Each structure stands twice: as C-alpha cells, then as structure tokens.
Amino acid sequence: IRVMGGLVQPSRRLSPLLDERRVVLCVGSGGVGKTTTTAALGLAAARRGKRVLCLTIDPARRLAQSLGLEWSANEAREVDPDLLAAVGVPPRGSLTVMRVDTKLTFDSLVKELAPDAERRDRILNNVLYRYISTSLAGTQEYMAMEKLHALRDDPRWDLVLLDTPPTAHALDFLDAPERLVGAIDSPAIRWFVQAFQSSGKLSFNLLAKSTATLLKGLGKLTGGGFLEQVAAFISEMNALFGGWKQRADAVAAALRGPDVAYVLVTTPDPLAIREVRYFAERLVSEKMRVDAFVVNRKNPAFPSESAHTPEVLDALGLPTSPPLLEKCAEALKDAAGLARLDRLHLFSLDSIVEETGAPIVSVPTFASDVYDLEALRQIGDILAP
C-alpha cells in the first residue's frame, strides 16, 4: 500500500497496463521526466518477456548512450540483448527505440497519399512545404501520432510506448489531427485555390476586389514568386485533402481506442500538477480514460530528527562530533520540510485521482541523474513491479 496525498492506492500500480494494453502514451508538460518514464516502462515490459517499441521525439543523449544506441531518425534500433540480460530481460523480451523525425514522417505521408510521382515531387520540392513540414504549429504533435498509428499494428512488437512531444500544453497532440486538417481547409486556403488557375499562375481576377487588393499588396512586400509558391503548394495539398482528412480522422480515432492507455506524468511542482490536472479533466470530458498518474522526483519522507544519526555516522567512518551532528539535524529538518511541501502540493491531485480511479505512483528523487539501465530497472520496479 502506498499513500499519496490523502489517498491510499493499491500496490499493483501500472503492471496491468503493460500486461493488457497495446499502446501506452506518456503525457505531461516539458521537464517532468516523460522520456525516463517511457523508457522505464518499456524496460519493465521487456522484463516480462514482451517485444517493446519506444517512440520518442527528443531523446536525452545520456539515455541514448546508456542504451548503447546512436540515434537515427525514423529507424528502429534494438538495444543490445546482452545489456538487457544484465538487468533481467529474458531472451524472448526485447527493447527497441525509434526517434521520430517530423519531416521524414511528413514526407512519408505525402508519398503515401499523392496520386502520382509528379504531384508527390512538386509538393516535396515546394519551398513552403519545407517550412511547414518542420515548423508549423502542431506538425510535430501530429506526426508523432501519425508514426504511432502506422506502427501500432506492426506484428514485430507486442507493446508500443510513445513519449509525447515536449509542448507548452500536454494536450496539444490530442487536437493536432483536427488542427492540421483545419489549416488545410480554411477560408484563406480556399482563396488561394480559387486564385490559382489551371495554367499554374496566380490570378486575382476570380477573387473579390478587396481580397485581390490585399494579396497584390502582400505580393509587393514578399515578391510574386513567394505567392506563386504558396498558391502552388495549397493547390497540390488540396488535391490530397480527401485522403488527408480520412487519415487524420483515423489517427484521432486511434487515440480513443480501447487498447490505448494514458499515463499522466508530473512532478510535485505546482505548475506541472496544474497542467496534468487540466489534461486529466480534458480526457474525462471527452469520455476517455485516465489510466495512471506518475509523480517523478518526489522528495522522500524523512523524520525531522533521528536518534540513529550517531550510529549512521559511525558506520560511514565519520566522527560523531557535535558540529557534524548539528549539521545532520539541519539536513534532516530541511529534507522533512521538502517532503511536507511536496505532499501539500500533491493534495490538489486527490480529487481528480478519486474521480478517475486511476492509480498514482511516486518515484523518489534519485541521488544522481537517471542515465543507465540499472537506474531504469529500479524505476520500472517502482512503476510496475
């Protein structure tokens, strides 16, 4: 039994998610430990004998080194079985990691949807496309979902985990398919499609006078060539719109499937807790499940005073002098204060945890950064023993 805030949670923790689900998404604001949580859950599943794929957008360099990997975009890299065997992974289990490249994924989608090679090449070589495929708001989130959708039914893996993109708001990826389709099917887009005649030249004759005047003025500032590129790109993308919308709808539906689990990751920091509460409430409002909460870097509870301090110092070979005992007492008092502060902050999660019935698991602050398989194994044992 673990006690978090004012709620008592069962000790099964996240094990059922690894045993019963096909896809697990780790969600949270930036800097809360989503990548580490994803990797730890992946290792825990591999130790159960599962073939696991972890998808990540922005992997930590230390974590990559600890797994013995060199990151290569959109290529699956399997962790050395000998390294996995050292932390208890049986021969039938495996851990594969893939870094999702936004542009390469976008390129693959265009190649799949384009009706012919000529149209495909016109889109891929368009200047505006090169910008949109890397920098348009929502593109990174959508392409992460697209890659997940493409791989979720791949028979090579039993479980797919996604480390969701680092965004200002944890729920951005949930809206990404609809937002990207809305950007393609907006009134402004239709203006350009209307103005771009079959000759391939931008014409203002078919537009309303006010719109034509506005675009001509913009053309003087940016140069006519830029508007031609915009119009050509929009016209080509419009031809793909039916397939694009169908694919986006399928991706959005997949996020709501019964085989998908959402693990909401936070720290005791009030801003991170506020973000994860908001996302949990959004999932509930859309009748989607909140499957678990993970609280990383929680300060462990220490007594503010300890009668055993002299024995501990003696065991460490340190002198039990009054100055050192006094410093130890101050350190214990500070540690107890930090733990109490974390507990107060986490009380704000109690209502949403009670509403969803999701387990909440805390991972204590480690003495050093988590960057090797042994540390990931320890975290995995906490999350899913």
Side-chain angles (χ1 to χ4, degrees):
I1 301 295
R2 295 183 66 82
V3 179
M4 283 296 300
L7 296 176
V8 178
Q9 298 298 331
S11 60
R12 289 184 72 203
R13 306 176 198 173
L14 311 191
S15 298
L17 301 184
L18 303 184
D19 296 333
E20 301 165 8
R21 303 295 175 84
R22 170 69 178 169
V23 176
V24 175
L25 290 88
C26 292
V27 182
S29 55
V32 297
K34 292 194 306 295
T35 302
T36 300
T37 300
T38 305
L41 286 173
L43 183 58
R47 294 180 70 204
R48 286 164 163 74
K50 289 183 176 290
R51 299 166 301 163
V52 182
L53 172 66
C54 287
L55 297 172
T56 181
I57 292 284
D58 187 25
R61 184 176 298 275
R62 279 188 177 183
L63 189 59
Q65 292 172 345
S66 71
L67 297 174
L69 300 175
E70 290 292 335
W71 295 122
S72 182
N74 278 19
E75 288 187 11
R77 296 296 179 93
E78 186 173 341
V79 179
D80 187 338
D82 291 337
L83 292 176
L84 296 178
V87 289
V89 175
R92 67 181 183 277
S94 65
L95 179 61
T96 303
V97 183
M98 180 184 292
R99 181 173 71 84
V100 179
D101 184 281
T102 300
K103 187 178 187 309
L104 290 179
T105 304
F106 209 147
D107 290 352
S108 298
L109 185 59
V110 169
K111 292 173 184 176
E112 181 178 337
L113 296 177
D116 53 64
E118 184 180 355
R119 182 162 290 170
R120 174 201 66 199
D121 292 341
R122 283 202 301 264
I123 293 175
L124 295 178
N125 295 324
N126 186 279
V127 173
L128 186 62
Y129 170 78
R130 294 174 189 171
Y131 168 78
I132 287 177
S133 59
T134 56
S135 304
L136 183 67
T139 303
Q140 188 181 61
E141 293 83 3
Y142 178 79
M143 291 307 150
M145 298 304 105
E146 166 64 32
K147 197 67 179 179
L148 176 65
H149 180 67
L151 294 170
R152 63 178 294 174
D153 296 323
D154 194 311
R156 290 178 291 173
W157 296 291
D158 304 314
L159 178 69
V160 179
L161 297 105
L162 174 66
D163 168 28
T164 54
T167 57
H169 299 287
L171 53 81
D172 281 353
F173 76 90
L174 199 61
D175 297 320
E178 291 85 352
R179 290 212 322 270
L180 212 53
V181 167
I184 296 173
D185 192 35
S186 66
I189 296 297
R190 288 193 289 271
W191 284 352
F192 275 97
V193 172
Q194 184 183 8
F196 196 67
Q197 297 177 317
S198 58
S199 63
K201 297 294 183 180
L202 188 64
S203 171
F204 301 115
N205 296 332
L206 300 176
L207 297 176
K209 185 176 180 180
S210 58
T211 303
T213 302
L214 174 64
L215 292 179
K216 286 177 181 177
L218 182 61
K220 291 178 180 178
L221 293 174
T222 62
F226 173 75
L227 288 183
E228 294 282 358
Q229 288 279 344
V230 172
F233 169 73
I234 290 171
S235 181
E236 298 290 355
M237 289 298 289
N238 190 64
L240 305 184
F241 182 72
W244 188 283
K245 187 177 187 306
Q246 185 178 8
R247 186 60 172 256
D249 289 344
V251 171
L255 296 176
R256 293 158 172 81
D259 60 344
V260 177
Y262 288 91
V263 175
L264 277 58
V265 185
T266 185
T267 66
D269 179 81
L271 292 178
I273 292 174
R274 184 185 307 170
E275 184 75 13
V276 88
R277 270 192 63 95
Y278 179 44
F279 187 73
E281 290 165 357
R282 168 72 185 279
L283 288 176
V284 170
S285 70
E286 297 202 6
K287 302 189 183 331
M288 297 168 67
R289 293 182 312 276
V290 177
D291 294 282
F293 293 89
V294 172
V295 180
N296 282 323
R297 299 196 291 272
K298 182 176 181 289
N299 287 291
F302 289 108
S304 57
E305 296 180 5
S306 175
H308 301 289
T309 301
E311 290 89 335
V312 172
L313 292 176
D314 186 60
L316 293 172
L318 297 173
T320 55
S321 60
L324 190 53
L325 287 172
E326 184 179 347
K327 289 184 180 297
C328 287
E330 291 177 2
L332 283 171
K333 184 177 179 181
D334 290 344
L338 290 173
R340 283 195 300 271
L341 191 60
D342 283 356
R343 192 175 178 204
L344 285 173
H345 291 158
L346 290 169
F347 269 120
S348 63
L349 277 180
D350 283 358
S351 60
I352 193 67
V353 169
E354 191 170 22
E355 180 181 355
T356 60
I360 179 169
V361 184
S362 66
V363 178
T365 300
F366 277 41
S368 61
D369 289 342
V370 176
Y371 61 88
D372 60 23
L373 282 171
E374 177 56 29
L376 287 177
R377 183 198 65 76
Q378 295 176 35
I379 296 175
D381 283 342
I382 294 170
L383 297 174

